[in-house]
Amino acid sequence: MSSYSRKGLCGQVAALPDANDFFSDKAPTPILDMVDTPIHLKNLSIKELKQLAEEIRSEISFIMSKSGPLFKASLAVVELTIAIHYVFNAPVDKILWDIGDQTYAHKILTGRRSLMHTIMQKNGISGFTSRRESEYDAFGAGHGCNSISAGLGMAVARDLKGKKDQVVTVISNWSTMAGQVYEAMGNAGYLDSNMVVILNDSRHSLHPKQEEGVKPTINALSSTLSKLQSSKSFRRFREAAKVVTKRIGKGMHEWAAKFDEFARGMVVPLGATLFEELGLYYIGPVDGTSIEDLICVLNEVASLDSTGPVLIHVITEAEQGLADITNGALNSGLLASPDTISCKLSGTFNDCLVESLIAEAEKDKDIVVVHAGMGIDASLNLFQSKFPERIFDVGMAEQHAVTFAAGLSCGGLKPFCIIPSTFLQRAYDQIIEDVDLQNVPVRFAVTSAGLVGPDGPTKCGAFDIAFMACLPNMIVMAPADEDELISMVGIAANTNDRPVCFRCPGVGSISGIFGPLCSVTPIEVGKGEILVEGRDVALLGYGVMVQNCLKAQSLLAELNIQVTVVNARFCKPLDIELVRKLCREHEFLITVEEGSIGGFGSHVAQFIALDGLLDGRTKWRPIVLPDSYIEHGTLIEQLDTAGLSGHHIAATALRLLGRNREALMLLR
């Protein structure tokens, strides 16, 4: 047994899963059952390690097919994960990952196997690496592109403290879209601290034309060359040659460096010399499905005392083992068939967004879409099929996406910049300097806004209201339902004198199948709407929280409390006449939003304070996300934790009315 502490999580973690119904039909895993921590890998033979890889792959597919999270990326790196933990000595050696989807095998091998069925569930383990969860998780991962920067910091700290531990960082080819990766590589090359960077190349590209092009291949020759590149003798010879040529003279050293670059460029894949130019010693490509090759190369790299930063290019197969596993799961009923899935899916706000964009794009040929973030949303495939030349997916390059969209706008087009809320955070400087300051009409569709259920705090869109609404030129709005989303897409398409942003929640289905787009009632910019009129308390909801305000109104009506419910629609410009009316006619005003402190409620408070409306009888209370991170769980569980459910809103109103006992009873 191994243990680690984490709030709300079981204290004990065993290698062997609990014998309950969940695991009753699981395939036997004799080797995996003997592995509790990475130290237990050290005495296994290559044959046993290969069997272990198959057992882990089977374990991941079995558990994930029942619990739901994507696991394809983790299947591809099983051999790589085993090799890393076989060669290095975690947690003394630091192993960093940049994407959570790749870490399931890592979690299984580091004492969390018995909790894998709780992944991304309330009080379960995280879908990402988490320093609070395990000492084997050296750094948190989720958004990608951070592992090299954090690993370099750990390597420099190690050197300054005189320690000898190793630092290993794993990045994916998706992460190489982000500029931070190259900033970190350049700094690593300059500082020359010992660290190992492993590029997990699944040979996927954002661009179909590149997919059809030349890809790095693995054969006996490339395997031999990779082993030669990583060998002690070759690297020592190379370093000795550098020293000799430096002593001979500057001209000889420069000539030798050019010859070395030319010679290595002849044997390494196209583009690999970029890493050498950044100061990293390139080794590869290495077959990511061969445990022998991986262990051989990693052992050679780990055995040298002074190497500087090394990049090992590992080729993995994203589809490895997936076909057999999927067929078996379908036959056993663990996975639904594609036909069944399509019948079960409900419409989402993203689906509605794309349908609206298509309708606008059919009317206006200047409308284009720029998407950034970790993987394109499936709903955008429909837009891409209809307008392949008018959609640009730039991957994890959010800063570029925003300025690129600004350039498109300056060129006479109407760009919709679709970026998840948490990924938009990376582009905040560009939003200010390249869009809002210059008053460039870029239209931001902020997806995954608010709580995101199983993805937890890593991808929770808590801050976009606050950081977008404080910008002087930005129109900031949020739809209460799918009809308003359609209207707001229309507003954005027809706003040509300033930037616009609107929220698009990432979790939960829309309230109904939206009707014909032409039947949606237009919305006036800066105007809210009174949905229910009462006299005791006013609930001013923003975005989808309007629905929870209506639930609270229904609960309070049963207690003979008359509540006004208002759909604010706009945070900026604020409907100040409507706010004045609410303050004049009600003693209590409650603002409700699915965002952090400093958002919609703060803008309302700023206005009513300056307008003198707080000087009289009006009492104002904000309901926002708490000043803490909400852990993963279902959306309903997260709303309860955050105090944003209909019951919590009603309880807040009851407390304002002095009916504390009824408020407590409502929350029982």
Side-chain angles (χ1 to χ4, degrees):
M1 303 285 286
S2 64
S3 63
Y4 58 85
S5 60
R6 182 176 184 268
K7 184 177 180 181
L9 196 62
C10 301
Q12 297 294 321
V13 182
L16 189 63
D18 298 329
N20 55 28
D21 292 339
F22 186 89
F23 297 100
S24 60
D25 53 351
K26 189 178 73 66
T29 52
I31 302 295
L32 181 56
D33 292 345
M34 297 188 297
V35 177
D36 185 27
T37 62
I39 195 69
H40 297 142
L41 298 176
K42 307 297 183 182
N43 294 324
L44 297 181
S45 65
I46 294 296
K47 182 179 179 181
E48 289 171 325
L49 291 174
K50 289 181 178 179
Q51 182 180 341
L52 176 64
E54 293 306 314
E55 291 179 8
I56 291 176
R57 193 169 279 113
S58 174
E59 183 89 2
I60 292 173
S61 62
F62 175 82
I63 296 174
M64 296 306 127
S65 65
K66 289 198 170 187
S67 56
L70 298 175
F71 57 91
K72 186 175 172 182
S74 280
L75 292 179
V77 295
V78 169
E79 284 83 3
L80 176 59
T81 306
I82 291 173
I84 290 172
H85 281 295
Y86 181 85
V87 172
F88 297 97
N89 300 303
V92 176
D93 291 336
K94 306 298 185 291
I95 300 173
L96 293 81
W97 305 80
D98 69 339
I99 294 177
D101 293 349
Q102 298 178 356
T103 63
Y104 298 163
H106 164 77
K107 287 176 179 283
I108 288 173
L109 290 173
T110 53
R112 286 167 277 184
R113 183 188 178 195
S114 65
L115 294 176
M116 287 300 292
H117 67 285
T118 71
I119 195 166
M120 298 175 122
Q121 298 175 19
K122 186 175 182 180
N123 296 330
I125 61 175
S126 172
F128 312 98
T129 53
S130 170
R131 296 175 66 224
R132 291 174 294 168
E133 184 176 288
S134 174
E135 61 181 345
Y136 290 97
D137 293 353
F139 202 76
H143 274 198
C145 82
N146 64 350
S147 62
I148 302 179
S149 298
L152 178 60
M154 293 178 187
V156 171
R158 171 204 61 204
D159 296 342
L160 292 175
K161 287 181 173 289
K163 297 181 179 180
K164 296 295 183 182
D165 54 279
Q166 307 247 27
V167 177
V168 181
T169 69
V170 183
I171 65 170
S172 71
N173 53 319
W174 296 107
S175 296
T176 57
M177 303 288 177
Q180 184 181 350
V181 169
Y182 301 99
E183 294 170 10
M185 286 184 183
N187 195 215
Y190 173 76
L191 294 175
D192 205 35
S193 289
N194 291 349
M195 67 180 297
V196 180
V197 178
I198 299 175
L199 171 58
N200 169 32
D201 183 0
S202 60
R203 297 196 277 198
H204 279 263
S205 170
L206 289 172
H207 309 290
K209 292 180 181 179
Q210 291 184 13
E211 291 277 9
E212 299 167 3
V214 179
K215 297 177 181 179
T217 56
I218 299 295
N219 51 40
L221 177 60
S222 64
S223 178
T224 302
L225 289 172
S226 296
K227 293 175 183 177
L228 174 64
Q229 290 171 309
S230 63
S231 66
K232 293 181 187 178
S233 54
F234 178 80
R235 299 193 65 193
R236 283 173 176 164
F237 170 77
R238 188 169 180 261
E239 293 302 316
K242 288 182 180 180
V243 173
V244 171
T245 55
K246 280 183 179 179
R247 289 179 178 176
I248 293 174
K250 182 179 179 182
M252 176 61 72
H253 177 66
E254 290 179 352
W255 180 87
K258 289 180 181 178
F259 178 80
D260 177 65
E261 180 181 344
F262 174 77
R264 285 174 55 73
M266 294 290 289
V267 297
V268 299
L270 184 68
T273 52
L274 168 65
F275 303 115
E276 294 273 345
E277 292 294 332
L278 290 170
L280 281 75
Y281 181 80
Y282 176 89
I283 298 171
V286 181
D287 185 357
T289 66
S290 170
I291 288 182
E292 299 102 313
D293 288 359
L294 289 167
I295 289 176
C296 177
V297 171
L298 290 174
N299 266 326
E300 291 288 355
V301 171
S303 62
L304 284 179
D305 294 331
S306 179
T307 61
V310 175
L311 185 135
I312 304 174
H313 184 184
V314 177
I315 304 295
T316 59
E317 297 291 342
E319 307 294 334
Q320 186 184 3
L322 191 62
D324 294 338
I325 289 166
T326 303
N327 290 335
L330 284 170
N331 292 334
S332 63
L334 294 178
L335 289 176
S337 68
D339 294 336
T340 306
I341 291 171
S342 63
C343 293
K344 290 181 179 179
L345 287 177
S346 300
T348 66
F349 275 93
N350 281 358
D351 296 328
C352 184
L353 168 64
V354 172
E355 290 281 1
S356 305
L357 284 172
I358 290 172
E360 294 293 339
E362 287 173 343
K363 294 184 292 184
D364 190 340
K365 61 182 176 55
D366 288 335
I367 289 177
V368 295
V369 168
V370 179
H371 177 269
M374 192 179 293
I376 191 168
D377 191 278
S379 58
L380 280 170
N381 291 334
L382 182 59
F383 188 97
Q384 192 168 37
S385 66
K386 289 182 176 291
F387 308 105
E389 303 300 322
R390 291 162 65 180
I391 182 170
F392 307 92
D393 181 24
V394 302
M396 292 170 59
E398 296 84 6
Q399 295 171 311
H400 163 67
V402 170
T403 305
F404 174 57
L408 290 170
S409 180
C410 291
L413 297 177
K414 296 181 177 181
F416 278 79
C417 196
I418 303 177
I419 304 178
S421 176
T422 52
F423 289 91
L424 191 63
Q425 294 163 185
R426 284 207 281 244
Y428 195 50
D429 179 69
Q430 285 69 28
I431 294 171
I432 296 173
E433 298 293 331
D434 300 338
V435 176
D436 198 74
L437 180 63
Q438 302 184 55
N439 209 22
V440 178
V442 173
R443 300 141 187 92
F444 293 98
V446 185
T447 59
S448 296
L451 298 168
V452 290
D455 283 331
T458 303
K459 295 184 179 180
C460 173
F463 309 110
D464 57 272
I465 304 173
F467 69 66
M468 295 299 271
C470 67
L471 302 178
N473 292 321
M474 189 75 66
I475 293 176
V476 182
M477 50 189 174
D481 55 32
E482 62 273 18
D483 288 338
E484 289 195 344
L485 176 59
I486 295 167
S487 295
M488 289 179 182
V489 170
I491 289 173
N494 292 300
T495 301
N496 299 307
D497 60 344
R498 59 193 301 187
V500 179
C501 81
F502 55 91
R503 304 189 100 200
C504 195
V507 178
S509 301
I510 55 181
S511 58
I513 302 301
F514 48 92
L517 300 183
C518 58
S519 66
V520 176
T521 304
I523 294 175
E524 183 180 351
V525 175
K527 293 298 180 181
E529 176 189 22
I530 297 176
L531 302 176
V532 180
E533 290 200 65
R535 56 181 174 79
D536 296 322
V537 179
L539 299 178
L540 180 56
Y542 184 67
V544 292
M545 284 300 100
V546 171
Q547 307 300 332
N548 286 8
C549 289
L550 290 170
K551 292 176 184 177
Q553 183 270 334
S554 178
L555 291 169
L556 292 169
E558 295 177 4
L559 300 174
N560 297 317
I561 299 172
Q562 298 182 24
V563 176
T564 297
V565 179
V566 177
N567 175 13
R569 290 177 175 162
F570 293 86
C571 179
K572 193 171 188 178
L574 187 67
D575 190 343
I576 58 175
E577 292 303 323
L578 180 57
V579 174
R580 282 194 181 114
K581 173 181 171 65
L582 295 176
C583 290
R584 284 196 305 266
E585 298 178 359
H586 301 81
E587 185 178 353
F588 303 108
L589 172 65
I590 300 174
T591 56
V592 187
E593 63 188 298
E594 194 180 358
S596 68
I597 299 168
F600 171 71
S602 296
H603 281 259
V604 173
Q606 174 80 0
F607 167 70
I608 61 178
L610 293 177
D611 207 50
L613 297 172
L614 287 178
D615 299 343
R617 68 180 188 124
T618 303
K619 295 180 177 63
W620 166 73
R621 295 292 184 273
I623 300 180
V624 299
L625 288 175
D627 194 20
S628 60
Y629 295 103
I630 307 296
E631 293 297 330
H632 48 268
T634 66
L635 180 60
I636 293 174
E637 290 169 342
Q638 288 186 324
L639 288 170
D640 281 337
T641 302
L644 283 169
S645 68
H647 282 74
H648 285 87
I649 297 169
T652 299
L654 287 169
R655 284 193 292 269
L656 274 175
L657 294 167
R659 299 166 68 166
N660 294 328
R661 181 179 177 81
E662 289 169 295
L664 290 172
M665 294 294 292
L666 200 59
L667 296 176
R668 288 182 62 181

